[in-house]
């Protein structure tokens, strides 16, 4: 047990080196895969066109149809009428062939208009449909030997003309084969092959790449392989497996040798799945044809869609090249910082003082760690270097990961102190553990895509509320006891909370509100600060404090819910700096947990009251609280899990989320044995939970949380091995960034840490946290409330109480904290004004 729990103490230098080498080797392997294995298909068009698997492939006994189509290494966008019409407006789409092609025609038409009438035309006839400025044409030509097909083909000129030409179809899909097999009794294969040769000669041939981005498409569909068991006897006599196999083998030869574009993914969607066919054994179920239609639209439209996050259409797409801010960031991290480190090393090697503009070794190292993490986010989620894959919810996977996390947590339980017999209420290790296991739950929830399960969603909403409860609790305790309402206090908290969430939008082309937790916690910190700051000299009066909290709650509720107020506030940064923050999203986030912060404040006041010698917590009151918690907790979850949808539960959540949180606190501190033990693994993750929450968006998941990051070094569908390696990398980077962020916060605050390593029980700056660590020894009390609420690493002593002396002329510019903050804000303002989307 001791060896296992020691893994979650502060990592030794050797451990850092091992993980650093592991990270470098893995990233190097990914780059090699991209440069060599993906060289012919850098935009993943070939992957989308030719391959794929069903993530929810049904078992032999299942009657359900699959829905989660996964091309190798990229994500398919589900097109809606607005998306499809914007891409194809004023263009034609032509579908020529037999009834299988007609099915795809109608599926694409439904992508433009879900209410289109599919019975409007006769069976064996041409069809024309116009919707939202897009003209769709179906040419009934089951042998593909008509003049209309030849006319359309000539417009492509063998792929030698412009990539896009409004005179020709944006998509030309042709398919034949079954009619030759069914109705041509003599030389059916030869006749079919002659027809295909004539068509192939006018298609794009001799290509060396599968890149189809921003190009009009001229495609052949593979010959459908029927569901043999469903064919009637007459069809079985003429449509034979051998003949269909020979046709597709010839198409494969044309595709491999001559570069003819064949939509092989169509046949991959039905391969080995007879249930994907209708009763005829020939026609495919509408749900499967809809996926084929999405494949065509992704091929043609993904690269033409306006670049905006979430970037969830990574198949057949090219990410935008970096803008000047991103190039500047890449240059600073990959060139300037190493150069600074080299200049410092050379100067120190000659026994000279480094130039004053070069930060200290600790700061330079922190800048490099922080910067490399941001660069990693950029290359992982804004380039095709790393693959992306779809999420797929599986109850078995969710339970397996949850049980693994619980096993890890319970396997690292230890006593909180070797000397203290009893720890105080909500002490540091316990709140770290609390944040850690909740972070495990949030990460598993996001990774597995469990948001569609209302019961799981409700539980995760409780964990978010618990973090905000700790915000109200920890800040209220600090302001009440320390009476520190200084600018330094506010700046230290906000910088530590927001450093990562403010830098990422510039590199990832997102916005600040997108990383919603840091803004949310910052907002509630300012609310608690204002509440405690007004009339601070009367905070000792309990009645006055209660009135202030009630008034604050009413004002914030009115501020949030009254139409027009938030819109006016958000319009200010929009006018001044060009921000595009979603008022709707922010209002939803704030009001969903509107009251829990105030419950945290009230709990802090109750704790302070009961901690005094004149009002101790009586055994009867303690017992009553435990009984109430034992009753309330199961009753709450019974109510929560029986709500029809997550939207129904959301209406109740702001008013009842305090029930499970206070119940958990009461049960967690029910006995000294429970209170004094904690999980080392959970506590370790809790100390860097702010970073894991933010970085998961780009280096664990992908497509701005809509997909999963796929290393691709174990094959296109090795999801388990990819999960293990990507998780190790993600957790290590998050922990490293937590330490670096603390160092950088101290540097910005002008309180850079001394190089002396902290002891195992090092205290950190009293700032915001959910726990107050009180040690009583010899009648004295030492209190430590940590810098940030949502997570903190053991090295994140962001603003140590002692200021390290600044050296050189640079110190003159760092003495005034307000000036430093103004300079930072001005820099962000300039970046916003000059930012190019």
């Amino acid at each position: 047990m001791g060896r296992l729990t020691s893994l979650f103490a502060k990592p030794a230098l050797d451990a850092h080196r091992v993980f650093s080498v592991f990270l470098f080797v893995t990233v190097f392997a990914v780059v090699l895969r991209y440069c060599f294995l993906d060289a012919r298909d850098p935009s993943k068009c070939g992957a989308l066109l030719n391959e794929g698997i069903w993530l929810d492939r049904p078992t032999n006994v299942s009657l359900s149809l699959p829905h989660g189509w996964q091309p190798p290494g990229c994500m398919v966008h589900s097109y809606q009428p607005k998306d499809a019409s914007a891409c194809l407006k004023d263009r034609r789409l032509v579908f020529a062939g037999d009834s299988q092609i007609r099915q795809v025609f109608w599926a694409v038409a439904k992508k433009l208009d879900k209410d289109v009438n599919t019975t409007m035309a006769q069976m064996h006839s041409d069809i024309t449909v116009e919707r939202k400025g897009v003209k769709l044409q179906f040419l009934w030509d089951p042998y593909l030997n008509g003049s209309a097909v030849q006319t359309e083909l000539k417009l492509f000129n063998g792929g030698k003309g412009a990539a896009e030409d409004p005179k020709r179809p944006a998509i030309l899909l042709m398919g034949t084969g079954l009619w030759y097999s069914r109705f041509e009794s003599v030389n059916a294969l030869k006749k079919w092959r002659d027809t295909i040769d004539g068509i192939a000669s006018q298609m794009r041939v001799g290509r060396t790449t599968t890149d189809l981005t921003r190009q009009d498409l001229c495609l052949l569909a593979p010959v459908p392989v029927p569901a043999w068991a469903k064919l009637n006897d007459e069809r079985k006599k003429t449509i034979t497996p051998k003949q269909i196999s020979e046709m597709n083998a010839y198409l494969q030869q044309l595709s491999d040798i001559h570069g003819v574009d064949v939509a092989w993914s169509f046949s991959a969607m039905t391969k080995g799945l007879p249930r994907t066919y209708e009763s005829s054994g020939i026609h495919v179920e509408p749900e499967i044809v809809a996926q084929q239609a999405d494949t065509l639209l992704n091929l043609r439209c993904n690269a033409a869609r306006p670049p905006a996050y979430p970037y969830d259409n990574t198949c057949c797409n090219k990410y935008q090249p970096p803008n000047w801010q991103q190039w500047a960031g890449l240059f600073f991290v990959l060139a300037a910082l190493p150069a600074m480190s080299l200049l410092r090393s050379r100067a120190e090697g000659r026994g000279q003082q480094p130039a004053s503009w070069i930060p200290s070794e600790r700061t330079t190292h922190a800048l490099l760690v922080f910067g490399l993490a941001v660069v990693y986010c950029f290359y992982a989620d804004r380039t095709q270097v790393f693959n992306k894959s779809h999420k797929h919810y599986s109850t078995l996977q969710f339970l397996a990961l949850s049980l693994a996390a619980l096993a890890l947590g319970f396997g690292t339980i230890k006593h909180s102190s070797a000397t203290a017999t009893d720890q105080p209420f909500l002490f540091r290790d316990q709140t770290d553990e609390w944040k850690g296991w909740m972070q495990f739950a949030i990460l598993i929830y996001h990774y597995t895509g469990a948001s569609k399960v209302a019961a799981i969603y409700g539980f995760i909403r409780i964990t978010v509320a618990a973090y905000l409860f700790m915000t109200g609790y920890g800040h209220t305790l600090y302001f009440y006891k320390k009476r520190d309402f200084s600018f330094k206090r506010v700046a230290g908290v906000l910088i530590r909370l927001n450093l990562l969430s403010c830098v990422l939008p510039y590199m990832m082309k997102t916005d600040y509100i997108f990383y919603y937790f840091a803004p949310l916690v910052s907002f509630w910190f300012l609310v608690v600060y204002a509440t405690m700051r007004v009339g601070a000299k009367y905070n000792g009066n309990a009645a006055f404090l209660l009135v202030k909290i009630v008034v604050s709650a009413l004002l914030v509720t009115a501020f949030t819910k009254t139409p027009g107020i938030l819109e006016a506030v958000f319009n200010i940064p929009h006018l001044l700096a060009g921000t595009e923050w979603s008022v709707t999203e922010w209002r939803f986030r704030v009001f969903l947990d509107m009251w829990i912060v105030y419950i945290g404040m009230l709990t802090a006041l109750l704790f302070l009251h009961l901690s005094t010698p004149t009002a101790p917590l009586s055994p009867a009151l303690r017992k009553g609280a435990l009984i109430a918690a034992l009753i309330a907790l199961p009753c709450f979850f019974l109510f929560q899990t029986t709500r029809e949808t997550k939207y129904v539960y959301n209406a109740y959540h702001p008013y009842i989320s305090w029930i499970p949180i206070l119940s958990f606190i009461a049960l967690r501190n029910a006995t000294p044995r429970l209170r004094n033990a904690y999980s080392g693994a959970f506590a370790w993750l809790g100390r860097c939970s702010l970073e894991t929450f933010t970085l998961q968006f780009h280096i664990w998941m992908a497509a701005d949380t809509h997909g999963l990051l796929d290393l691709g070094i174990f094959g296109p569908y090795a999801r388990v091995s990819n999960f293990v390696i990507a998780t190790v990398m993600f957790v290590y980077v998050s922990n490293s960034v937590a330490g670096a962020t603390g160092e950088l916060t101290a540097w910005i605050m002008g309180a850079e840490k001394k190089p002396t390593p902290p002891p195992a029980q090092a205290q950190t700056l009293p700032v915001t946290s959910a726990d107050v660590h009180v040690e009583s020894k010899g009648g004295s009390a030492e209190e430590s409330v940590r810098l940030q609420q949502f997570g903190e690493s053991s090295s994140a002593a962001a603003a140590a109480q002692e200021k390290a002396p600044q050296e050189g002329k640079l110190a003159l510019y760092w003495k005034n904290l307000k000036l430093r903050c103004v300079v930072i804000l001005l820099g962000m303002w300039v970046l916003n004004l000059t930012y190019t989307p």
Side-chain angles (χ1 to χ4, degrees):
M1 181 72 72
R3 293 182 61 188
L4 186 59
T5 55
S6 66
L7 291 174
F8 300 95
K10 183 178 179 179
L13 182 60
D14 289 344
H16 276 297
R17 287 175 177 170
V18 169
F19 282 111
S20 298
V21 171
F22 174 79
L23 182 65
F24 172 79
V25 170
T26 304
V27 172
F28 184 69
V30 171
V31 173
L32 287 180
R33 187 264 305 153
Y34 173 74
C35 292
F36 294 97
L37 299 182
D38 292 354
R40 196 164 176 267
D41 191 27
S43 302
K44 309 296 184 187
C45 297
L48 176 62
L49 183 67
N50 298 315
E51 302 178 62
I53 62 170
W54 292 109
L55 295 176
D56 55 346
R57 184 181 179 90
T59 61
N60 293 331
V61 297
S62 175
L63 298 177
S64 63
L65 288 172
H67 296 90
W69 182 248
Q70 177 63 68
C74 64
M75 294 176 61
V76 178
H77 178 70
S78 180
Y79 272 84
Q80 301 301 316
K82 183 179 179 180
D83 302 327
S85 60
C87 166
L88 301 170
K89 188 174 178 59
D90 299 325
R91 296 299 305 274
R92 290 188 303 128
L93 279 68
V94 177
F95 303 80
D98 52 21
S99 56
Q100 288 77 27
I101 300 300
R102 185 176 59 211
Q103 278 193 295
V104 181
F105 162 82
W106 284 122
V108 174
K110 281 184 171 291
K111 287 291 179 179
L112 288 164
D113 182 359
K114 295 180 180 180
D115 299 322
V116 67
N117 182 11
T118 60
T119 63
M120 61 185 295
Q122 296 180 355
M123 185 175 294
H124 295 164
S125 63
D126 295 347
I127 308 171
T128 299
V129 174
E130 291 194 40
R131 290 291 189 278
K132 302 181 183 297
V134 183
K135 185 176 183 180
L136 292 89
Q137 295 174 277
F138 170 69
L139 305 177
W140 173 254
D141 189 357
Y143 296 102
L144 286 184
N145 57 3
S147 60
V149 173
Q150 295 301 316
T151 300
E152 299 293 350
L153 275 170
K154 288 178 181 178
L155 295 175
F156 283 87
N157 193 28
K160 298 176 183 177
E164 297 178 287
D165 186 347
K167 296 179 181 179
R168 67 190 183 201
I171 298 175
L172 173 58
L173 176 68
M174 301 164 289
T176 185
L178 292 185
W179 274 60
Y180 281 93
S181 181
R182 178 77 174 86
F183 298 109
E184 293 291 336
S185 58
V186 180
N187 293 328
L189 185 60
K190 182 181 184 305
K191 292 177 181 179
W192 173 85
R193 188 179 296 176
D194 291 342
T195 300
I196 294 299
D197 285 342
I199 292 173
S201 65
Q202 301 184 66
M203 296 178 67
R204 186 180 72 145
V205 296
R207 58 179 166 80
T208 58
T209 176
T210 59
D211 187 7
L212 298 172
T213 55
R214 291 187 174 273
Q215 295 184 31
D216 295 330
L217 302 178
C218 183
L219 306 173
L220 276 171
V223 181
V225 179
W228 302 108
K230 295 183 178 182
L231 292 180
N232 58 37
D233 292 339
E234 203 167 319
R235 282 173 171 164
K236 286 181 180 179
K237 292 177 183 179
T238 55
I239 303 176
T240 63
K242 179 182 179 183
Q243 201 167 45
I244 300 302
S245 177
E246 288 177 348
M247 288 179 175
N248 280 322
Y250 187 70
L251 285 177
Q252 188 70 63
Q253 180 181 342
L254 291 176
S255 178
D256 294 342
I257 298 176
H258 299 288
V260 173
D261 293 318
V262 180
W264 291 112
S265 58
F266 284 17
S267 58
M269 292 179 191
T270 59
K271 186 177 181 180
L273 292 172
R275 78 204 57 201
T276 59
Y277 286 88
E278 296 176 347
S279 59
S280 66
I282 296 292
H283 299 112
V284 179
E285 293 284 357
E287 294 86 346
I288 308 302
V289 185
Q291 186 61 64
Q292 295 174 347
D294 258 334
T295 297
L296 293 178
L297 293 175
N298 276 261
L299 281 167
R300 182 60 184 84
C301 294
N302 278 1
R305 292 185 68 205
Y309 80 93
Y311 293 85
D312 62 348
N313 53 329
T314 65
C315 289
C316 204
N317 200 356
K318 292 180 178 179
Y319 289 91
Q320 279 188 303
N323 60 21
W324 78 264
Q325 290 95 338
Q326 290 169 320
W327 276 123
L330 294 172
F331 174 80
F332 178 73
V333 174
L334 300 179
L337 284 177
M340 289 182 191
S341 182
L342 179 62
L343 290 173
R344 169 172 286 280
S345 297
R346 287 184 174 180
E348 291 175 348
R350 294 192 296 265
Q352 300 174 350
Q353 193 73 5
S356 59
W357 55 269
I358 299 178
S360 69
E361 183 179 356
R362 293 181 69 96
T363 301
T364 303
H365 180 263
L367 284 169
L368 192 58
V369 170
F370 186 92
L372 286 175
V374 174
V375 169
Y376 181 26
C377 290
F378 173 79
Y379 280 104
D381 208 15
R382 291 297 181 267
T383 70
Q384 292 282 18
V385 175
F386 285 75
N387 290 344
K388 287 85 180 174
S389 62
H390 287 283
K391 296 180 182 180
H392 169 59
Y393 176 74
S394 162
T395 302
L396 180 62
Q397 181 191 36
F398 180 84
L399 291 176
L401 292 177
S402 299
L403 290 174
L406 288 173
L408 182 63
F410 282 105
T412 56
I413 291 177
K414 59 182 179 180
H415 196 276
S416 59
S417 174
T419 56
T421 57
D422 194 11
Q423 295 292 342
F425 177 74
L426 289 180
F427 69 104
R428 171 176 178 170
D429 290 332
Q430 187 184 116
T431 53
D432 280 343
E433 175 203 81
W434 191 7
K435 289 185 289 184
W437 71 254
M438 290 193 301
Q439 187 62 196
F440 264 116
I442 291 173
L443 291 175
I444 294 170
Y445 166 82
H446 283 157
Y447 194 88
T448 59
S451 60
K452 62 184 69 175
V453 182
I456 301 175
Y457 169 86
F459 178 78
I460 297 302
R461 289 258 51 90
I462 296 300
T463 63
V464 175
Y467 280 115
L468 295 178
F469 170 89
M470 286 189 270
T471 297
Y473 178 85
H475 288 308
T476 301
L477 279 181
Y478 178 86
F479 287 129
Y480 186 92
K481 291 189 172 186
K482 296 295 184 180
R483 297 179 176 84
D484 177 12
F485 299 97
S486 65
F487 177 81
K488 179 181 178 181
R489 161 69 180 174
V490 175
V493 172
L494 294 180
I495 291 172
R496 178 63 182 88
L497 283 173
N498 292 283
L499 191 58
L500 185 59
S501 297
C502 284
V503 171
L504 280 175
Y506 296 106
M507 284 299 292
M508 305 306 294
K509 293 188 176 181
T510 53
D511 63 55
Y512 175 60
I513 300 298
F514 176 66
Y515 309 97
Y516 69 88
F517 204 89
L520 198 60
V521 175
S522 300
F523 169 78
W524 284 114
F525 161 72
L526 293 174
V527 168
V528 175
Y529 171 82
T531 304
M532 298 297 291
R533 179 68 180 87
V534 174
K537 62 182 179 180
Y538 302 111
N539 282 348
N541 186 318
F544 179 75
L545 256 182
L546 289 174
V547 170
K548 282 204 302 179
I549 291 174
V550 171
V551 171
S552 174
L554 294 175
L555 290 176
V556 173
T557 302
F559 173 79
T560 303
K561 297 296 289 182
T562 304
I565 297 180
L566 272 181
E567 286 78 1
V569 172
F570 274 48
N571 198 41
I572 296 173
H574 172 70
L575 294 175
L576 294 178
T579 60
E580 297 287 348
W581 296 345
S582 172
V583 176
T584 303
E585 176 71 12
W586 181 251
R587 179 175 280 122
F588 167 76
R589 294 290 181 187
V590 172
F591 190 74
L592 198 59
D593 294 299
M594 176 62 71
W595 312 108
I596 197 62
V597 173
Y598 295 107
I599 297 296
M601 296 180 71
L602 293 174
T603 303
L605 298 181
L606 180 62
F607 166 71
L608 291 169
H609 176 71
L610 295 177
S611 299
T612 60
T614 58
L617 181 61
S618 66
L621 185 58
R622 185 189 301 271
K623 185 177 180 180
L626 292 178
I627 294 174
L630 286 170
I631 296 173
L633 203 58
C635 289
F636 171 85
F637 283 111
L638 178 63
F639 173 83
Q640 180 256 313
T641 54
T642 53
R643 297 311 91 194
E644 295 84 350
T645 67
K646 62 184 182 181
Y647 305 106
V648 172
Y649 171 73
N650 281 344
Y652 295 96
H653 178 78
Y655 309 100
I656 62 175
S657 61
W658 60 273
I659 297 174
I661 293 172
L662 294 184
S663 299
F664 169 79
I665 293 174
L667 295 174
R668 183 65 179 83
N669 293 272
T671 67
R673 185 172 183 178
L674 277 174
R675 184 167 54 251
N676 294 325
Y678 76 99
S679 167
F682 289 158
W684 182 87
L685 185 65
R687 296 183 192 112
C688 60
S689 51
L690 175 62
E691 287 67 33
T692 56
F693 188 92
T694 305
L695 291 174
Q696 67 170 320
F697 285 60
H698 302 300
I699 64 171
W700 197 46
M701 292 180 286
D704 304 309
T705 74
H706 284 230
L708 305 176
L709 193 67
D710 185 355
L711 304 176
I713 56 178
F714 304 104
Y717 310 119
R719 293 172 75 89
V720 174
S721 54
N722 179 80
F723 165 77
V724 172
I725 302 301
T727 300
V728 172
M729 296 170 64
F730 159 66
V731 173
Y732 172 67
V733 171
S734 298
N735 180 63
S736 300
V737 171
T741 305
E743 295 286 352
L744 294 178
T745 302
W747 178 53
I748 295 171
M749 295 290 293
E752 193 172 0
K753 280 186 64 178
K754 296 179 180 180
T756 307
Q761 298 295 325
Q763 302 298 322
T764 55
L765 176 66
V767 270
T768 167
S769 175
D771 74 77
V772 178
H773 185 199
V774 181
E775 294 181 357
S776 299
K777 186 175 181 179
S780 64
E782 180 181 4
E783 301 172 0
S784 174
V785 185
R786 285 165 299 153
L787 179 60
Q788 48 80 27
Q789 185 275 340
F790 190 70
E792 173 186 32
S793 73
S794 57
S795 62
Q801 294 280 16
E802 306 175 17
K803 286 190 176 181
Q806 302 290 333
E807 299 179 359
K809 297 181 179 179
L810 188 62
L812 298 175
Y813 301 98
W814 281 107
K815 286 183 178 179
N816 191 321
L817 176 60
K818 294 182 180 179
L819 178 61
R820 291 196 295 273
C821 292
V822 168
V823 170
I824 292 173
L825 292 175
L826 285 175
M828 295 171 63
W829 177 67
V830 171
L831 286 174
N832 280 344
L833 290 181
T834 59
Y835 197 79
T836 53

